[in-house]
Amino acid sequence: MSTPGIDWPHLVGWIAANVPDAGEPTGVSLIAGGRSNLTYVVETPGRRLVLRRPPLGHVLPTAHDMRREWRVISALAPTSVPVPEPVAFCDDPEVIGAPFYLMGHVDGAAVRTREDAQGLTPDQNRRLSERLAEVLAAIHAIDHEEVGLGDFGRPEGYMARQLERWGQQWERSKTAELPAYDRLVALLRERLPARSASTLVHGDYRLDNTLVRFSPDPDILAVVDWEMSTLGDPLADLGLTLTYWQDPGDEERASVSVVADVTVAPGFLTAREFAAHYAKVSGADLSDLDFYVAFGNYKLAVIAEGIHARFRQGKTVGEGFEDIGAAVPTLVDRALRVLGD
């Protein structure tokens, strides 16, 4: 069996030794749509498993840390934050070519486009977007010391380090000079908050990084893709979520290929309403939200540039990468406008 990113004979042997209740695997398939870490369904006689591994080819330092994802879902599994069941972790790159972990399959839907949400009423769409805000607030309410994540990050100076980190990622990935990017970084440095709250943060929170149940009532069954999680400023999570959010009539946002369009379906909260619902359930002060939305656009621009660089090198697996480079200047321009430039 030949599947990119999987050494099938070695994987079969490893699962037999480490997940004996599953039985001998019978097949593996790549789940389409992943733009970063690769996700596969592994079929076994005993259960359906999901495997996560880093992307092929060029991988940025500190990114795609499988142990980090594994640790956070293991810590959150007993809490009110919905995550997949952690099953087994492998740190030996000799097995399939990179560290990976296995988690239980969640029988939920990945919702990215309006077509994915076909059949939902406006009331159901509204409730689903409210649940997205409520689960984000639940993540930020977790006592990270109590669940064993007290050393999961360094909250002090988080936003300054984030700005530096993503700047370094840009320098490693950039495919062309972009003067507007330099202006944006300077403005973000000027506006860095002096102090901020400290919570567990997901790092890439959006509807299509969750698995959703449609009926009898819409709900979020699991939050996935925890590769960027750490301890830091919860408003950075909210700002990035709003960066991904597409309101009806926002054609510029619609042109960004990494942004889903499900939130334009009738009934979904607008970006402003989503932020207000999050503030209501979390008690957060959103007076400096513009900075975090601008930072979200900046971060997404750097991520898009990294994906674009891998695409140019022929190191991506899946579809939909052709236009991602065009998103970078658009996201930078949006961030500048949010900051009043």
Side-chain angles (χ1 to χ4, degrees):
M1 182 177 297
S2 177
T3 303
I6 296 292
D7 184 321
W8 181 246
H10 284 168
L11 179 62
V12 169
W14 191 89
I15 289 178
N18 292 276
V19 196
D21 63 315
E24 182 172 332
T26 57
V28 60
S29 57
L30 178 71
I31 298 176
R35 295 178 182 271
S36 185
N37 286 339
L38 303 181
T39 308
Y40 305 79
V41 172
V42 180
E43 303 288 352
T44 78
R47 61 192 307 192
R48 176 176 282 182
L49 302 171
V50 173
L51 182 150
R52 290 269 288 173
R53 62 147 290 161
L56 308 181
H58 175 61
V59 175
L60 295 170
T62 76
H64 316 294
D65 185 343
M66 294 296 95
R67 185 178 291 279
R68 192 167 198 82
E69 284 198 32
W70 168 257
R71 183 180 174 191
V72 74
I73 67 167
S74 298
L76 293 177
T79 74
S80 62
V81 175
V83 292
E85 174 199 0
V87 175
F89 176 78
C90 177
D91 62 359
D92 182 0
E94 297 302 315
V95 178
I96 66 167
F100 67 93
Y101 69 91
L102 295 171
M103 56 187 173
H105 182 267
V106 176
D107 192 18
V111 180
R112 178 174 175 79
T113 68
R114 284 171 287 183
E115 289 73 22
D116 293 334
Q118 277 186 347
L120 291 181
T121 67
D123 285 346
Q124 289 174 314
N125 284 335
R126 182 175 187 84
R127 184 57 191 144
L128 183 57
S129 46
E130 288 174 344
R131 283 295 296 141
L132 190 69
E134 291 160 10
V135 171
L136 182 60
I139 292 170
H140 297 158
I142 286 292
D143 185 329
H144 45 271
E145 295 280 356
E146 185 176 318
V147 300
L149 296 175
D151 62 347
F152 198 58
R154 293 180 295 135
E156 189 68 29
Y158 170 76
M159 292 308 302
R161 288 197 311 277
Q162 281 283 293
L163 186 56
E164 179 69 18
R165 174 195 172 187
W166 290 104
Q168 292 172 353
Q169 306 287 53
W170 172 268
E171 292 302 323
R172 294 185 182 102
S173 297
K174 67 178 179 180
T175 59
E177 295 297 328
L178 186 61
Y181 168 87
D182 299 323
R183 190 163 74 254
L184 172 59
V185 171
L187 284 172
L188 288 171
R189 285 199 179 108
E190 289 177 11
R191 291 277 298 271
L192 272 171
R195 299 187 63 184
S196 61
S198 170
T199 70
L200 176 66
V201 294
H202 180 275
D204 195 22
Y205 190 79
R206 49 197 162 100
L207 186 57
D208 49 327
N209 272 343
T210 71
L211 296 171
V212 171
R213 180 188 72 196
F214 289 161
S215 63
D217 296 309
D219 202 1
I220 293 172
L221 299 182
V223 180
V224 295
D225 291 9
W226 290 88
E227 65 179 282
M228 296 182 187
S229 58
T230 188
L231 302 183
D233 190 332
L235 294 187
D237 261 352
L238 178 61
L240 187 61
T241 304
L242 297 174
T243 296
Y244 283 113
W245 208 271
Q246 182 179 333
D247 284 339
D250 188 345
E251 296 305 320
E252 183 184 58
R253 171 64 74 221
S255 73
V256 176
S257 61
V258 291
V259 173
D261 69 352
V262 64
T263 56
V264 303
F268 267 92
L269 299 178
T270 65
R272 183 183 297 274
E273 289 170 337
F274 180 89
H277 191 65
Y278 169 84
K280 176 182 177 182
V281 296
S282 68
D285 177 4
L286 303 188
S287 57
D288 201 22
L289 184 58
D290 283 354
F291 168 83
Y292 295 96
V293 172
F295 190 90
N297 280 274
Y298 160 74
K299 177 177 172 179
L300 188 54
V302 177
I303 292 170
E305 184 72 355
I307 298 170
H308 178 56
R310 291 202 300 274
F311 171 74
R312 286 177 51 147
Q313 296 164 6
K315 298 296 186 180
T316 52
V317 175
E319 300 177 351
F321 300 101
E322 296 82 2
D323 301 325
I324 202 163
V328 177
T330 299
L331 289 163
V332 169
D333 288 345
R334 287 178 74 93
L336 287 168
R337 287 202 304 273
V338 169
L339 292 175
D341 184 80

